[in-house]
C-alpha cells in the first residue's frame, strides 16, 4: 500500500487539519487498514505511535520504518488534536532513538559511585545478581526496604503501572506516592464541584473566551494554542493570567500579571465585582451552590485596593476582566499545572474554580474549567492485568505497607530519621529501582538525595534507554527502551482518547521493555505467577476487557488498526461515569460533593485549618509563619525562584540531544532569567556566571536579563541534565521538597534563593 493511499485509507471520514474537531467522539469509524500488510513495495512500514511524554497532547504519530530502521515520525493528520503536527521535540524522535548515549547492554559498576567505571555483563548475570541482592535485602530487612522511583518518562499504562506494579506488589515494596505534578488539583477542584475530572478540551471550540491561567501552552501543550487562535478567529478573546509574560501573553487581548501564588486574592476580587455589579447567574447560584452568603461576606471584608495590592493586578484590570468574563457566553479557563505547585496550591485551585460556578458557565458547552485530566477509565481494566499479589498476614489480610513520596523522596530514604509527611518511615530504604524517571534531575532537593544515594549500602538499579545522570549513582545500569520500541496503550490528558502505541522497531542492542524487564526480574526472584509470563499483546487485551469498551467496540484489533479511538461521549454513555456537567440537563444537575451542590463553603478546608471560603495566604506567608523559616529566611533569600518547563525538553527528556544541549546551555551552564533591577542590585550583568543559593544548596547558572517578570522573581528551566553543565548543578539543588496545603502536591514553584556573581566566570 502506498503511503498516500494508506493515509487516505485511515483518513476515511477524517477531519481536515485546521478545522474544528468534533466533540463527542463521532470520529470512531472502521477503516480498511490491516497492520500485517502494512508494508509498501519500497519496503516502508508504517506504525501508529502515541507520544508518551507527560504532555497533555499525547500526539498520535505515524512512524515510517525501513529495513527495521526508524526513518521519520510525523503527526497523524486525522487526529483531532494532533492535526498532523507534533512539537519541535516530537519531530526529532527518529534522531533521539539513535542518540549516541543509548545504553546497549547491562552494566555493572566496578569503581566507586560516580567514578564512572563499568563492566559489561550479560542480562543473565545482571538479573541473577540483582535478584540475589534483592532477596538478601528482603530476608534481612523486609520487602519495604525496596522502593521505586518513577514517574512520567513513559505514560503507557503497561510501562508505567502494570508491569512494575505486579513486581513491586509481589515483592512487598514500599509504595511510592507519585506526586510531582498536579496533586493540589485533586483536592482543590473537588472541594468545589466534587470531581477532579476535567471537561473535554474539544469543547473549547464552542467557547468565546480562552483564558490561559498559570499555564504556558506555547511550550507545554502546543496544541492548546490552536484552540486559542480559533476562539480569536470566531471573534472571541484571549486572556493570559500568569506571573511571567509567556509567549501567548503577546497575542492576548489582556495579560494579567499576578504575584506568584496570589491567585486567590485575584479570584476574590473578581467574585466581588461579579456580586457587586450583579453579574453572576442568580438561578444557578440559588439552585446549585451552597455557601454563597459566606462568599458575599468574604468579599465585603476587603477593598479592591487591598486585593489588588495582594495579587498585583490593578483594580482596573480586575474590573475589566470580571466584566468580560461575565459577559462571555462560554468562557474557558485553561488551567495549567505549574501555577498550582505552591504551598497554597489546593486553595489556589479551589479559588479559581469559583469563577465558572458563580457565572454558571460550567454547564455551558465550551465554558468552565479545563485541565489535564479527562475520564477514560471505564475503558481500562487494571484489575484484570494486576492480580492481587501483595503480601498477606496469617489471616489472609493484606499487609499495609509503608509509603514515601516522589516529592519527599530525599526525606523518605534517609538512613536515619526518614519521614513521609513529617511522620517516621519505620523501615529504612536500602534499595531502589529507577525507571521512566531521572531521580538526580527531576526530584527536588538533590543534595539530600545524593547524601543517601552515595552510601555504599544504598542499592540502586537504573533502567533507561540513555546514560542519564542517575546512572552515575547506580550499582547496575540496564538498557531500557524508548516507546518506539515498546507496545503500549495510554490515553491523552485533555480529551479522552484511548491511544495505541506500536512496537515500531525492535529494541536496540540488548534493551528490554519495562514489561520484559520486570517479568524477567520476577522470574529470577523465583516468582511463578502467571502474570509474569504475559507479553504486551496479552496485557493489552486484558486491559481493554471492560463492559464499557465492549459496548463501544473498542478492541485491541481496532485500536491497532486505527491508532486511537475516542469513546462516544453522550449523556447515555457518560452517565455512569460522569453524572454531572455538561452531560446532564441543567435541572438534573448534581455535583459530587457531600451536599450535592457546588460548595463555596468547604468543611474539608475548614477542618484542615484553612479558610472555608477563599484563603488569601500565599507562599510568602507560608515561609514567614513556618517555624523552620520565618521573616529572616525571606530576607536572606529574597528572590522567588520558579522552574517552568523549557520548550526544548519535556521534563528531562531530550536533555541529552546535542542540538538541544547547545540551546539550553549558555557558557557552560543552564540559564537563570532575572530582571534588570535584580541584576543591577547585585552587580550582575547579562552573561555573568552566577551562584544561586539557599539552605538546600548552591547551583551555578548563567544570568540572562529579561523583563518577563516583575522584580523579585527569577526563573530557571526545570530538569536540565546535570552532566551537560560544567558545574553539574541545576534547579533542583534549590527547589522546595515541601508538600502543598492539601492533596500532598509538589511545591517546586514555591522556592526562594539569593543570587550573586560567581568568583569564577565561565568564558
Ligand atoms: N515543553 C515542555 N512541555 C511540557 C513539559 C516540559 O517540561 N516541557 N512538562 C509536561 C508536564 S509533566 C507538565 S506537568 C506540564 C506543565 O505545564 P504548565 O502548567 O504549562 O507548565 P509550567 O511552565 O511549569 O507552568 C505554567 C505557568 O505557570 C506560571 N505560574 C507559576 N506560578 C503561578 C501563579 O501562582 N499564578 C499564575 N497565574 N501563574 C503562575 C508560570 O509562570 C508558568 O508560565 O507540561 C508538560 N509539557
Ligand atoms: N524544579 C522542578 N522540577 C520538576 C518540575 C518542575 O516544575 N520544577 N516538574 C515536575 C513534574 S510536573 C514532573 S511530571 C516530573 C517529570 O519527571 P520524571 O517523570 O521524573 O522524569 P522524566 O524527565 O520524564 O524522565 C523520564 C526518563 O524515562 C526514560 N524512559 C522513557 N521511556 C522509558 C521506558 O519505556 N522505559 C524506561 N525504563 N525508561 C524510559 C527517559 O529516557 C528519561 O530518562 O518532573 C518534575 N520536576
Ligand atoms: S511532547 Fe507533546 S506536543 Fe510534543 S510530540 Fe509529544 S505529545 Fe506531541
Ligand atoms: Mo508533570
Amino acid at each position: 500500500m502506498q503511503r498516500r493511499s494508506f493515509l487516505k485509507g485511515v483518513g476515511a471520514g477524517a477531519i481536515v487539519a485546521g478545522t474544528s474537531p468534533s466533540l463527542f467522539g463521532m470520529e470512531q469509524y472502521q477503516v480498511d487498514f490491516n497492520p500485517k500488510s502494512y508494508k509498501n513495495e519500497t519496503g516502508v512500514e508504517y506504525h501508529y505511535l502515541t507520544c508518551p511524554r507527560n504532555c497533555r497532547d499525547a500526539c498520535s504519530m505515524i512512524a515510517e520504518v525501513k529495513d527495521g530502521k526508524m526513518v521519520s515520525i510525523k503527526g497523524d493528520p486525522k487526529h483531532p488534536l494532533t492535526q498532523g503536527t507534533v512539537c519541535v521535540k516530537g519531530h526529532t524522535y527518529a534522531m533521539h532513538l539513535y542518540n549516541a548515549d543509548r545504553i546497549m547492554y547491562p552494566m555493572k559498576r566496578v569503581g566507586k559511585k560516580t567514578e564512572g567505571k563499568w563492566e559489561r555483563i550479560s542480562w543473565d548475570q545482571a538479573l541473577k545478581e540483582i535478584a540475589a541482592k534483592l532477596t538478601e535485602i528482603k530476608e534481612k530487612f523486609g520487602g519495604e526496604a525496596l522502593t521505586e522511583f518513577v514517574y512520567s518518562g513513559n505514560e503507557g499504562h503497561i510501562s508505567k503501572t502494570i508491569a512494575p506494579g505486579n513486581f513491586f506488589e509481589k515483592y512487598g515494596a514500599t509504595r511510592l506516592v507519585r506526586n510531582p505534578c498536579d496533586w493540589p488539583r485533586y483536592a482543590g477542584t473537588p472541594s468545589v464541584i466534587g470531581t477532579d475530572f476535567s471537561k473535554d478540551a474539544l469543547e473549547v471550540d464552542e467557547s468565546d473566551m480562552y483564558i490561559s491561567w498559570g499555564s504556558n501552552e506555547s511550550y507545554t501543550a502546543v496544541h492548546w494554542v490552536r484552540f486559542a487562535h480559533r476562539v480569536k478567529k470566531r471573534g472571541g478573546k484571549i486572556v493570559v493570567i500568569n506571573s511571567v509574560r509567556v509567549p501567548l501573553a503577546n497575542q492576548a487581548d489582556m495579560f494579567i500579571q499576578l504575584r506568584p501564588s496570589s491567585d486567590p486574592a485575584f479570584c476574590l476580587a473578581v467574585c466581588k465585582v461579579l456580586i457587586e455589579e450583579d453579574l453572576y447567574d442568580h438561578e444557578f447560584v440559588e439552585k446549585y451552590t451552597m455557601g454563597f452568603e459566606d462568599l458575599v461576606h468574604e468579599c465585603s471584608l476587603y477593598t479592591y485596593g487591598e486585593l489588588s495590592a495582594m495579587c498585583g493586578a490593578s483594580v482596573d484590570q480586575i474590573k475589566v476582566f470580571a466584566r468580560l468574563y461575565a459577559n462571555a457566553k462560554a468562557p474557558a479557563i485553561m488551567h495549567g499545572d505549574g501555577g498550582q505547585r505552591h504551598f497554597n496550591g489546593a486553595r489556589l485551585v479551589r479559588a479559581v474554580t469559583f469563577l465558572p460556578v458563580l457565572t454558571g458557565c460550567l454547564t455551558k458547552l465550551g465554558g468552565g474549567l479545563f485541565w489535564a485530566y479527562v475520564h477514560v477509565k471505564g475503558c481500562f481494566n487494571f484489575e484484570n492485568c494486576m492480580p492481587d499479589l501483595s503480601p498477606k498476614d496469617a489471616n489472609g489480610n493484606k499487609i499495609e505497607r509503608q509509603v514515601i513520596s516522589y516529592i519527599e523522596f530525599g526525606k523518605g530514604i534517609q538512613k536515619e530519621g526518614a519521614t513521609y509527611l513529617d511522620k517516621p518511615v519505620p523501615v529504612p530504604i536500602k534499595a531502589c529501582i529507577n525507571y521512566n524517571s531521572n531521580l538526580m534531575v527531576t526530584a527536588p532537593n538533590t543534595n539530600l538525595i545524593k547524601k543517601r544515594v552515595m552510601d555504599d549500602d544504598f542499592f540502586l538499579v537504573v533502567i533507561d534507554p540513555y546514560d542519564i545522570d542517575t546512572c552515575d549513582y547506580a550499582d547496575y545500569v540496564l538498557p531500557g527502551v524508548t516507546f518506539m520500541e515498546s507496545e503500549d496503550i495510554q490515553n491523552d490528558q485533555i480529551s479522552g482518547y484511548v491511544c495505541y502505541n506500536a512496537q515500531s522497531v525492535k529494541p536496540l542492542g540488548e534493551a528490554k521493555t519495562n514489561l520484559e524487564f520486570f517479568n524477567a526480574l520476577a522470574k529470577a526472584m523465583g516468582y511463578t505467577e502467571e502474570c509474569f509470563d504475559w507479553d504486551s499483546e496479552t496485557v493489552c487485551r486484558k486491559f481493554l476487557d471492560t463492559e464499557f469498551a465492549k459496548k463501544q467496540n473498542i478492541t485491541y484489533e481496532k485500536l491497532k488498526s486505527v491508532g486511537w479511538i475516542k469513546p462516544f461521549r453522550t449523556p447515555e454513555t457518560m452517565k455512569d461515569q460522569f453524572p454531572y456537567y455538561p452531560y446532564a440537563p441543567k435541572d438534573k444537575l448534581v455535583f459530587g460533593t457531600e451536599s450535592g451542590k457546588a460548595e463555596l463553603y468547604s468543611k474539608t478546608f475548614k477542618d484542615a485549618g484553612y479558610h472555608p471560603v477563599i484563603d488569601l495566604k500565599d507562599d510568602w506567608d507560608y515561609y514567614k509563619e513556618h517555624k523552620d523559616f520565618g521573616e529572616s529566611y525571606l530576607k536572606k533569600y529574597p528572590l522567588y525562584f520558579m522552574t517552568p518547563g523549557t520548550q526544548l525538553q519535556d521534563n528531562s527528556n531530550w536533555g541529552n540531544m546535542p542540538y538541544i544541549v547547545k540551546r539550553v546551555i549558555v557558557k557552560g551552564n543552564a540559564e537563570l532569567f532575572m530582571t534588570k533591577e535584580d541584576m543591577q542590585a547585585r552587580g550582575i550583568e547579562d552573561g555573568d556566571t552566577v551562584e544561586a543559593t539557599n539552605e538546600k544548596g548552591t547551583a551555578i547558572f548563567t544570568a540572562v536579563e529579561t523583563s518577563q517578570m516583575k522584580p523579585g522573581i527569577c526563573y530557571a528551566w526545570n530538569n536540565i541534565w546535570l552532566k551537560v553543565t560544567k558545574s553539574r548543578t541545576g534547579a533542583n539543588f534549590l527547589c522546595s521538597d515541601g508538600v502543598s496545603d492539601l492533596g500532598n502536591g509538589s511545591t517546586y514553584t514555591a522556592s526562594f534563593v539569593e543570587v550573586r556573581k560567581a568568583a569564577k566566570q565561565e568564558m
Side-chain angles (χ1 to χ4, degrees):
M1 190 188 270
Q2 296 288 343
R3 176 170 164 72
R4 208 159 41 85
S5 60
F6 153 67
L7 287 176
K8 205 168 143 213
V10 293
I15 281 104
V16 181
T19 60
S20 122
S22 86
L23 175 62
F24 287 111
M26 299 309 175
E27 51 283 285
Q28 251 201 8
Y29 42 80
Q30 297 291 343
V31 291
D32 63 338
F33 175 54
N34 176 358
K36 294 207 182 65
S37 65
Y38 203 41
K39 216 170 189 182
N40 69 15
E41 53 275 21
T42 59
V44 178
E45 296 168 48
Y46 300 101
H47 298 273
Y48 277 120
L49 297 178
T50 300
C51 177
R53 300 285 91 93
N54 190 3
C55 166
R56 283 123 192 197
D57 304 21
C59 287
S60 174
M61 306 183 294
I62 296 165
E64 281 189 24
V65 176
K66 190 163 187 206
D67 301 330
K69 279 208 78 170
M70 182 70 69
V71 180
S72 80
I73 289 190
K74 298 197 174 83
D76 181 347
K78 78 182 194 315
H79 189 281
L81 285 165
T82 310
Q83 293 193 352
T85 49
V86 291
C87 67
V88 285
K89 308 174 294 292
H91 279 292
T92 68
Y93 265 136
M95 240 200 282
H96 198 203
L97 172 64
Y98 301 111
N99 212 47
D101 65 344
R102 277 294 301 251
I103 293 166
M104 301 300 257
Y105 35 78
M107 288 186 298
K108 178 181 179 173
R109 179 167 59 83
V110 288
K112 292 203 170 81
K113 288 191 177 181
T114 72
E115 213 176 55
K117 290 192 182 147
W118 300 93
E119 175 188 60
R120 177 177 175 177
I121 56 171
S122 67
W123 263 109
D124 201 36
Q125 184 186 344
L127 290 166
K128 266 195 195 129
E129 290 182 11
I130 295 167
K133 184 76 185 171
L134 293 181
T135 304
E136 181 197 323
I137 287 175
K138 185 164 171 166
E139 278 166 5
K140 274 197 194 152
F141 309 104
E144 287 161 301
L146 170 69
T147 196
E148 58 177 351
F149 191 79
V150 55
Y151 198 56
S152 62
N154 188 335
E155 284 284 296
H157 291 297
I158 300 177
S159 163
K160 183 178 181 176
T161 304
I162 297 168
N166 285 338
F167 175 80
F168 287 107
E169 280 301 293
K170 176 70 189 172
Y171 188 90
T174 287
R175 294 181 199 280
L176 182 80
V177 176
R178 300 169 171 190
N179 58 350
C181 200
D182 51 356
W183 283 44
R185 151 87 52 222
Y186 305 124
T189 319
S191 80
V192 189
I193 56 173
T195 181
D196 51 15
F197 288 116
S198 167
K199 292 179 92 179
D200 181 340
L202 292 189
E203 270 191 44
V204 179
D205 278 316
E206 304 293 327
S207 174
D208 57 345
M209 189 172 181
Y210 181 101
I211 305 165
S212 162
W213 196 317
S215 156
N216 184 14
E217 48 273 70
S218 309
Y219 294 180
T220 61
V222 292
H223 295 80
W224 277 17
V225 176
R226 289 189 181 148
F227 286 110
H229 289 162
R230 288 197 292 259
V231 166
K232 187 94 185 154
K233 225 174 167 177
R234 290 194 301 275
K237 298 251 183 292
I238 300 177
V239 177
V240 171
I241 303 178
N242 200 308
S243 308
V244 174
R245 179 174 277 277
V246 287
L248 194 63
N250 299 327
Q251 296 162 34
D253 296 279
M254 199 173 179
F255 170 47
I256 301 172
Q257 190 158 25
L258 300 185
R259 281 182 84 214
S261 78
S262 73
D263 307 47
F266 176 72
C267 292
L268 188 64
V270 174
C271 291
K272 192 173 162 74
V273 182
L274 297 178
I275 292 167
E276 289 183 0
E277 298 190 6
D278 198 12
L279 294 170
Y280 66 96
D281 182 334
H282 284 252
E283 189 202 337
F284 188 87
V285 165
E286 271 155 37
K287 269 198 184 155
Y288 303 113
T289 69
M290 65 86 113
F292 181 66
E293 287 314 316
D294 299 291
L295 176 63
V296 172
H297 174 69
E298 212 45 40
C299 291
S300 72
L301 299 180
Y302 301 91
T303 64
Y304 288 113
E306 283 166 339
L307 293 169
S308 154
M310 282 183 216
C311 71
S314 70
V315 175
D316 238 25
Q317 270 189 324
I318 291 167
K319 291 194 172 170
V320 170
F321 172 76
R323 290 168 195 151
L324 272 178
Y325 185 73
N327 289 321
K329 181 177 70 61
I333 295 175
M334 312 299 281
H335 204 202
D337 298 332
Q340 51 177 293
R341 295 192 197 113
H342 299 287
F343 281 103
N344 65 337
R347 285 169 284 168
L348 185 155
V349 174
R350 176 174 162 77
V352 175
T353 314
F354 274 38
L355 305 192
V357 169
L358 275 197
T359 51
C361 71
L362 201 58
T363 56
K364 296 192 185 131
L365 207 58
L369 193 53
F370 298 80
W371 63 92
Y373 192 41
V374 287
H375 200 307
V376 286
K377 291 231 156 102
C379 300
F380 299 146
N381 194 339
F382 280 95
E383 294 75 30
N384 208 20
C385 305
M386 303 181 75
D388 179 6
L389 302 177
S390 103
K392 312 282 184 315
D393 64 16
N395 300 322
N397 297 321
K398 250 190 204 180
I399 299 171
E400 277 304 307
R401 305 212 299 274
Q402 69 180 22
V403 168
I404 62 172
S405 82
Y406 180 117
I407 283 308
E408 295 192 286
F409 201 74
K411 296 178 202 164
I413 59 171
Q414 291 308 303
K415 208 167 183 172
E416 279 158 25
T419 58
Y420 166 63
L421 298 178
D422 290 331
K423 290 191 195 77
V425 173
V427 180
I429 305 293
K430 299 275 181 187
C432 172
I433 302 177
N434 176 108
Y435 62 99
N436 291 9
S437 197
N438 188 352
L439 173 62
M440 300 313 292
V441 171
T442 60
N445 205 349
T446 316
N447 281 329
L448 187 65
I449 294 167
K450 250 192 205 178
K451 189 173 147 223
R452 175 67 180 125
V453 170
M454 280 301 281
D455 282 344
D456 277 335
D457 75 335
F458 191 88
F459 182 66
L460 180 64
V461 175
V462 174
I463 175 159
D464 201 283
Y466 305 102
D467 184 15
I468 57 175
D469 283 295
T470 311
C471 292
D472 299 351
Y473 299 81
D475 294 275
Y476 291 86
V477 168
L478 305 172
V481 293
T482 66
F483 71 104
M484 296 167 266
E485 301 148 271
S486 161
E487 183 181 45
D488 219 320
I489 290 175
Q490 68 178 88
N491 51 269
D492 78 298
Q493 303 178 8
I494 60 173
S495 190
Y497 287 87
V498 176
C499 316
Y500 178 72
N501 181 69
Q503 182 179 58
S504 53
V505 291
K506 289 212 174 71
L508 300 197
E510 296 178 9
K512 283 193 195 297
T513 68
N514 289 356
L515 181 67
E516 290 166 342
F517 164 61
F518 282 109
N519 281 356
L521 185 59
K523 292 225 169 93
M525 296 286 296
Y527 302 160
T528 53
E529 282 76 4
E530 187 202 346
C531 63
F532 297 118
D533 285 319
W534 292 339
D535 61 11
S536 59
E537 178 176 337
T538 309
V539 181
C540 287
R541 288 181 186 281
K542 292 175 84 68
F543 192 49
L544 292 172
D545 188 7
T546 72
E547 283 309 308
F548 184 79
K550 267 191 209 118
K551 257 192 242 161
Q552 303 231 13
N553 191 21
I554 300 173
T555 61
Y556 176 66
E557 280 74 18
K558 187 167 170 197
L559 200 54
K560 220 172 151 165
S561 68
V562 297
W564 45 270
I565 301 172
K566 180 155 175 167
F568 290 108
R569 286 156 77 97
T570 65
E572 288 69 44
T573 60
M574 296 308 286
K575 84 173 177 311
D576 301 335
Q577 301 191 38
F578 202 60
Y580 32 93
Y581 79 91
Y583 304 102
K586 209 170 165 191
D587 59 352
K588 294 214 180 85
L589 203 60
V590 178
F591 288 98
T593 51
E594 225 177 276
S595 65
K597 295 192 168 188
E599 298 191 349
L600 303 174
Y601 180 99
S602 165
K603 195 171 164 310
T604 312
F605 275 60
K606 183 165 193 293
D607 292 347
Y610 303 112
H611 197 293
V613 183
I614 289 184
D615 192 316
L616 300 182
K617 289 203 169 151
D618 62 16
D619 283 333
W620 281 265
D621 294 317
Y622 173 85
Y623 280 88
K624 265 184 222 157
E625 291 168 9
H626 196 285
K627 65 175 174 38
D628 297 341
F629 302 108
E631 294 259 12
S632 60
Y633 181 86
L634 295 176
K635 286 211 177 84
K636 199 165 171 196
Y637 307 114
L639 288 175
Y640 195 85
F641 176 63
M642 298 167 71
T643 50
T646 158
Q647 180 177 27
L648 296 163
Q649 297 182 189
D650 188 287
N651 300 315
S652 70
N653 303 283
W654 284 283
N656 51 335
M657 285 186 73
Y659 93 95
I660 283 175
V661 174
K662 267 188 216 153
R663 283 163 182 80
V664 294
I665 298 300
V666 176
K667 290 193 184 170
N669 287 307
E671 298 152 292
L672 179 68
F673 297 87
M674 299 179 74
T675 64
K676 189 174 183 170
E677 292 83 346
D678 289 330
M679 288 170 77
Q680 276 177 352
R682 291 164 178 79
I684 294 168
E685 284 179 27
D686 191 80
D688 279 353
T689 306
V690 293
E691 287 175 11
T693 305
N694 64 20
E695 85 292 358
K696 292 186 177 59
T698 298
I700 311 287
F701 295 101
T702 302
V704 177
E705 188 187 308
T706 178
S707 55
Q708 283 177 295
M709 307 82 72
K710 290 186 179 159
I713 301 172
C714 59
Y715 77 86
W717 301 125
N718 70 30
N719 301 335
I720 305 292
W721 283 38
L722 305 178
K723 60 174 71 174
V724 303
T725 69
K726 282 191 181 163
S727 64
R728 297 214 164 203
T729 59
N732 272 327
F733 279 64
L734 306 164
C735 280
S736 164
D737 58 353
V739 290
S740 68
D741 45 3
L742 284 169
N744 301 339
S746 67
T747 57
Y748 288 105
T749 317
S751 309
F752 286 90
V753 296
E754 180 52 294
V755 181
R756 63 166 194 212
K757 191 166 165 171
K760 181 178 168 255
Q761 290 292 305
E762 299 294 351
M763 290 304 148

